[in-house]
Amino acid sequence: MKIAVIGTGYVGLVSGACFSEFGHTVTCVDKDISKIARIHRGVMPIYEPGLEDLVARNCKAERLFFTTDLKEAMKGAQAVFIAVGTPSRRGDGHADLQYVYAAVEELAAYIEDYTVIVTKSTVPVGTGAEIKKRLSALVDDSIFGVASNPEFLREGAAIEDFMRPDRVVVGVDCDKAQAVMQELYRPLFLSETPIVFTGRETAELSKYAANAFLATKISFINEIADMCEKVGADVQMVAKAIGLDNRIGGKFLHAGPGFGGSCFPKDTRALAKSAEAAGAPLRIVNAVIEVNENRKLAMADKVLTACSDDLKGKKIAVLGLTFKPNTDDMRESPSLDIIPALQAKGADIHAFDPKGMDEAENLLTDVTFHEDPYATLEGAEAVVIITEWNQFRALDFERMKDLMNNPVIVDLRNIYAGVDMAALGFTYSGIGR
Ligand code: UDX
């Protein structure tokens, strides 16, 4: 089957490469000439484990193509995926759909035979209907269908999530579009992945509801962590104890500095906005957003407390800047709130991240970046772990102690055990323990 994917960002690139791995012929198209040129040279615009090989392999097999020419990409395509950005609109938190609608209006001219236009980007409920309305004004209704097929990809594990998903959700409003989508996902039918075919609005809302629910689990356990600190309980054991209940489940119950990334913050805001507009405000989601925003700033106070309530002129080492490990993505990372808050209290920030420093340099000011964790620690009054990269889990603690001015660890991801750290001579504070 031949398909086109518009947008070679995170979602478009991973989806396009994975569909080609299924055996489909995929052309990915992007307006950014330099990005396409780089991909042609084998340079990926994002860091995602396994992506470079996957792209190279499928390009070589002539199943995966990249172009800036939409007309060429759509030639013979039975499905066109829209995977452009849907950022938070500045000022009001609504999803900004200008790129989606621009793509729709542009692609209309190139629909020849029956084509399904599929939204892969996360779009608010009703966007599919609006796309259909706009397309109907430009081309005959009988030659296109509109489907919603939200992605549920975690950065850092996106290929695995695409190839072996818990489920696939497809929203359609006619049998013809459903048949095309069924054919597209046939390789997953064979591996018995549940494929939920439903209405378009239901599919659109399912994506937001899934992300909001996961974000709720995180804000919930983060508040429980705060309470644990007050009453002498251990949040990790609480998470374990409740997570063993199958109705709750153990995942997404790691307390930390708050959720970040390209999805949870933006999608919870957009969902809250559309719920309000629909006259069905979501009080729980609003609370989740508020808890998360306050949390990031509260993390800076934790560091202040660990440094005897004084950060003026003190060198603070930060390990980890990205919103989670195995990505170079800095979008809405807690580090972007925590570091400026520490600087406002007078701290001199030295930082290291295995993948995120190039991007971090554009987003943070007055930070000294280092090429390895140990250089970051030299002369530091405290070290703050913001992202749980594997390489921070097994640092040489003796060397750390020798390098630091004060052996103080503020572990915002609970990657170390407090008792072990105390035995090694560190003053340790974690989350909710
Ligand atoms: C998320 C969803 O998981 C994915 O299904 C969706 O399509 C896109 O958004 P992603 O943003 O890549 O994926 O990362 P995820 O692993 O979900 O983590 C999001 C944030 O929550 C990170 O900042 C992470 O550190 C935080 N988190 C996650 C916690 O603080 N505790 C947890 O238990 C889990």
Side-chain angles (χ1 to χ4, degrees):
M1 189 166 175
K2 195 167 180 295
I3 66 171
V5 179
I6 304 178
T8 55
Y10 210 92
V11 173
L13 192 53
V14 171
S15 307
C18 289
F19 276 130
S20 69
E21 181 78 3
F22 283 174
H24 299 305
T25 302
V26 182
T27 306
C28 297
V29 53
D30 202 293
K31 281 192 171 356
D32 186 336
I33 300 170
S34 65
K35 198 183 208 179
I36 294 295
R38 267 180 286 139
I39 298 175
H40 278 148
R41 290 198 306 273
V43 182
M44 296 297 105
I46 49 161
Y47 170 72
E48 178 64 31
L51 184 63
E52 203 173 302
D53 287 349
L54 190 72
V55 168
R57 187 165 66 242
N58 285 287
C59 284
K60 197 164 168 233
E62 299 194 346
R63 280 192 301 260
L64 180 61
F65 302 90
F66 292 90
T67 178
T68 52
D69 182 347
L70 180 59
K71 185 178 180 185
E72 178 195 321
M74 280 184 60
K75 221 175 188 59
Q78 284 172 269
V80 178
F81 281 83
I82 299 178
V84 297
T86 52
S88 273
R89 205 159 61 190
R90 211 168 287 170
D92 66 6
H94 274 289
D96 184 347
L97 296 174
Q98 61 166 312
Y99 306 106
V100 172
Y101 293 138
V104 167
E105 263 138 45
E106 205 182 330
L107 69 83
Y110 308 124
I111 300 179
E112 289 170 356
D113 295 322
Y114 184 79
T115 311
V116 184
I117 313 305
V118 194
T119 50
K120 197 79 179 138
S121 307
T122 302
V123 291
V125 187
T127 305
E130 178 64 24
I131 291 176
K132 188 165 182 177
K133 197 172 115 198
R134 291 185 184 211
L135 273 179
S136 298
L138 301 167
V139 285
D140 194 291
D141 264 3
S142 64
I143 61 162
F144 72 89
V146 178
S148 158
N149 174 214
E151 51 84 16
F152 298 98
L153 310 174
R154 283 165 307 162
E155 292 186 17
I159 292 167
E160 172 72 17
D161 284 351
F162 197 100
M163 305 304 280
R164 272 170 288 278
D166 289 343
R167 76 334 199 160
V168 171
V169 177
V170 179
V172 282
D173 66 351
C174 67
D175 293 345
K176 214 169 166 184
Q178 176 159 337
V180 171
M181 296 304 288
Q182 228 148 8
E183 180 57 22
L184 198 60
Y185 279 108
R186 204 163 45 87
L188 290 182
F189 276 117
L190 300 177
S191 63
E192 294 180 8
T193 299
I195 308 212
V196 181
F197 279 102
T198 180
R200 231 173 14 224
E201 282 71 19
T202 306
E204 288 168 343
L205 185 53
S206 299
K207 166 65 196 247
Y208 280 104
N211 273 358
F213 191 83
L214 293 170
T216 303
K217 281 187 99 174
I218 300 170
S219 275
F220 176 82
I221 202 69
N222 282 341
E223 281 205 309
I224 294 288
D226 287 345
M227 184 171 171
C228 284
E229 287 172 19
K230 301 272 187 227
V231 301
D234 178 340
V235 74
Q236 277 180 293
M237 291 314 290
V238 173
K240 187 171 181 187
I242 65 172
L244 285 168
D245 183 328
N246 280 332
R247 292 169 301 174
I248 297 174
K251 293 186 179 156
F252 279 73
L253 287 177
H254 297 291
F259 57 77
S262 65
C263 288
F264 286 175
K266 158 177 87 75
D267 292 350
T268 44
R269 284 195 297 266
L271 176 62
K273 283 287 168 188
S274 8
E276 219 173 275
L282 296 171
R283 283 168 298 173
I284 293 176
V285 176
N286 285 326
V288 166
I289 297 167
E290 194 192 325
V291 166
N292 199 58
E293 273 165 10
N294 295 340
R295 180 153 196 90
K296 298 189 212 172
L297 295 174
M299 293 300 107
D301 290 330
K302 220 176 194 0
V303 181
L304 183 69
T305 308
C307 294
S308 318
D309 288 323
D310 182 16
L311 285 170
K312 271 184 219 80
K314 287 187 179 169
K315 177 174 171 181
I316 303 297
V318 171
L319 296 184
L321 296 166
T322 51
F323 79 100
K324 67 174 198 178
N326 297 326
T327 177
D328 58 357
D329 201 338
M330 286 292 301
R331 280 177 287 179
E332 305 217 27
S333 174
S335 67
L336 296 176
D337 290 286
I338 299 170
I339 289 174
L342 294 174
Q343 289 172 323
K345 295 178 200 296
D348 170 23
I349 303 293
H350 288 245
F352 168 77
D353 186 280
K355 295 280 177 203
M357 290 197 291
D358 284 349
E359 191 52 30
E361 274 183 53
N362 302 323
L363 300 167
L364 292 161
T365 45
D366 297 325
V367 172
T368 310
F369 295 98
H370 294 270
E371 286 309 311
D372 84 287
Y374 298 103
T376 317
L377 294 167
E378 219 174 314
E381 299 294 330
V383 55
V384 187
I385 316 268
I386 299 189
T387 319
E388 68 279 33
W389 285 93
N390 269 341
Q391 63 169 276
F392 303 150
R393 291 178 192 269
L395 292 169
D396 178 341
F397 296 114
E398 287 306 324
R399 190 170 162 202
M400 277 175 82
K401 254 190 328 194
D402 286 346
L403 287 167
M404 294 176 72
N405 229 14
N406 255 324
V408 174
I409 300 184
V410 183
D411 176 6
L412 301 182
R413 297 287 183 172
N414 284 348
I415 61 174
Y416 305 126
V419 275
D420 296 351
M421 288 299 117
L424 285 164
F426 286 95
T427 308
Y428 175 87
S429 53
I431 295 281
R433 298 190 295 192

